[in-house]
Amino acid sequence: MSSVNETKFQFAVFLLTGQHRQEVSHLWISIPFCFMYVISIVGNSVILFIIKTDPTLHEPMYIFLSMLAVTELGISIATIPTILGIYLFNSREISLDACFAQLFFIHSLQCIESSVLLLMSFDRFIAICNPLRYASILTLPRIPKMGLVCVVRGMAIILPLPLFLHRFQYCRSNVLSHSNCLHQEVMKMACSDISVNSIYGLFAKLLTMGLDSLLIFLSYMMILKKVLNIVSQAECLRALNTCVSHLCTVLLFYTSEIGLSVIHRFGRRSSPFLQILLGYISLLVPPLINPIVYSLKSKHLRVRIIRVFIR
C-alpha cells in the first residue's frame, strides 16, 4: 500500500546540492565562483568585441573562435546563477520546469560546443593539409551556415530529453548531487521506466560528442602525418603551434565530459565529492580557460587586446 501511495506523490521542486558537508564555508566558497564567473563573462566578451571590431580578424579561424566564445558565454549564464544562489543565499530549490529548461540549455550548448570544436579542427586540417584551397572551401558566406547547422543539430538532438522527463512522475528523493540539473541524474529521480531516456541519452552522447571527438582525432592524425613530412623544422613547429590552443581546449572539454559520463553511468560507488568536482570542471573551467589560452597563443589576438586596454 505504501508503494502505491509513493507512486502517486509528485515532487514540485528539486533540491540542488553545493559542496558536500561544507555548508559552513559556503560564503568563502562562493568567492572563487564569483571570480570565475566574472573572468568567463569578461574574457569571452572581450574576445567577441575584438573580433567584431577588427576587420583583420574576420577570418575563418577567428570567426570559429567567436562561435566558441558565444557558446561559452551561454554555458556560464546557464550554470553560474544557480551555483551562486546556493553558496550566497542558500537557495537550493528549483522547480521542475526550470530544471528541465536548464538541463536543455546546458546539454544543447555542450553539443554545440562540441560541434564548434569539430569545425575548428576542420579549419586547421584545411589550413595545413590543403592550404591552396583554404580560401575557396572556408568562404565567409559559408561559415555562418556551418554555425547554424551546429546550433540546429545540438538543439534537435537534446530537445527530446526534457520532453521525455516532463512525462515522468518523480516520487523518489528530490535531492540532486550537483548544483545544476543534468539529464543523467534527473532521470534517476523518476519512479517511471527510464529505459527510453537512458538509451536515447547514450545515443545522443555518442552521436554528438562521441562522433565529434572521433573526427577530431582523425583530423589531427592526418595533420600530424602532413606535418612530419615537412622538411623544414621551423615550418613544422610553426604549423603545430597553430594547433596548440585548440588541442588544449579539446582535451579539457572532452576529458571532463567523458569522466563525468562514466561516473554517472558506471561509478555508482564513487564519492559525491568527485562527482561534484567533475561537474564543476566540465561546466565552469572551459569558459574560464579558453579565453586565456587563445589570448596567450594567438599573437594577433593578444596584440589587439593589449591595444584596447592601453587605450
Side-chain angles (χ1 to χ4, degrees), residues 223-255:
I223 288 173
L224 185 61
K225 181 180 178 181
K226 178 71 174 181
V227 167
L228 292 178
N229 291 328
I230 299 177
V231 178
S232 172
Q233 185 177 4
E235 291 292 332
C236 178
L237 293 176
R238 189 178 297 113
L240 289 176
N241 190 52
T242 62
C243 303
V244 170
S245 53
H246 180 254
L247 275 174
C248 293
T249 304
V250 167
L251 290 175
L252 180 62
F253 178 76
Y254 286 108
T255 302

Side-chain angles (χ1 to χ4, degrees), residues 12 94-102 166:
I94 182 171
S95 67
L96 267 63
D97 289 337
C99 184
F100 298 153
Q102 185 186 54
H166 197 273

